[in-house]
Amino acid sequence: MVQERSQAQPPPPSTAPPVVPPIAPPPPSIIETSKCSPIEKLRKFGAEEFRGRSDDDPVKAEYWLQSLVRIFKQMACSTEDYLRCAVSLLKEEAYNWWETVEAVVPAEKLTWEFFQNEFKKKYVGKRYLDKKNREFLDLWQGNKSVVEYEREFVYLSKCIRDIVPTEEEICIRFEEGLNDVIRMMIGVNEIREFVVLSDRAQKLEEVYNKKIQRDRKNKVI
């Protein structure tokens, strides 16, 4: 009887192997971007061609170069690719100009930095750069907020790196252009990091504006 009962017991249920969900492949855009060459990536980021026609004004040329710099930062490619990518966008007269430059300049000097300098000389022009120099030297905060002053300061400083080539000189010039009240509140602290200096000036301006508002309310009361 014992043997019959043991034989009648059902076998233990079999355990099914755990189901492992399949790993989803990365989105097609990521795959495509990773496989793209730097020049192909450049197009995907919306870089525009530059033809260097005689009717192109200096502002258009400057904006083209600035937009290219922003795109390069987004692409996160090597500096060696910058020049090759930039040249790929030159068409017609602009490409002919660069071919002439390449023919007379040693290959080791053909760098991205060199390209930017020569491009500005050719298409932005000395007269335009001189105008930006004067605007930068004459720039003061005046009725602008610190944020507005900083925005204009940064824009102009990019055009005339030869005037303020170091961060220390940038900070000195920025502080000189602040309104007297803000500059005096900064005091004798020699802040030589531009981000820190700008942030300090904005906070001091906020404190000063709140004080002015309190004083006005007290007068009304």
Side-chain angles (χ1 to χ4, degrees), residues 159-174:
C159 302
I160 39 82
R161 281 296 185 189
D162 54 328
I163 294 181
V164 282
T166 66
E167 187 173 18
E168 180 178 0
E169 290 171 302
I170 288 175
C171 290
I172 292 172
R173 177 65 189 89
F174 180 80

Side-chain angles (χ1 to χ4, degrees), residues 44-58:
K44 289 181 179 294
F45 277 97
E48 297 181 356
E49 296 175 346
F50 183 81
R51 287 174 165 74
R53 293 169 177 166
S54 57
D55 57 345
D56 285 343
D57 62 281

Side-chain angles (χ1 to χ4, degrees), residues 1-11:
M1 292 291 292
V2 175
Q3 291 180 352
E4 290 179 358
R5 287 180 182 177
S6 62
Q7 291 177 356
Q9 290 179 353

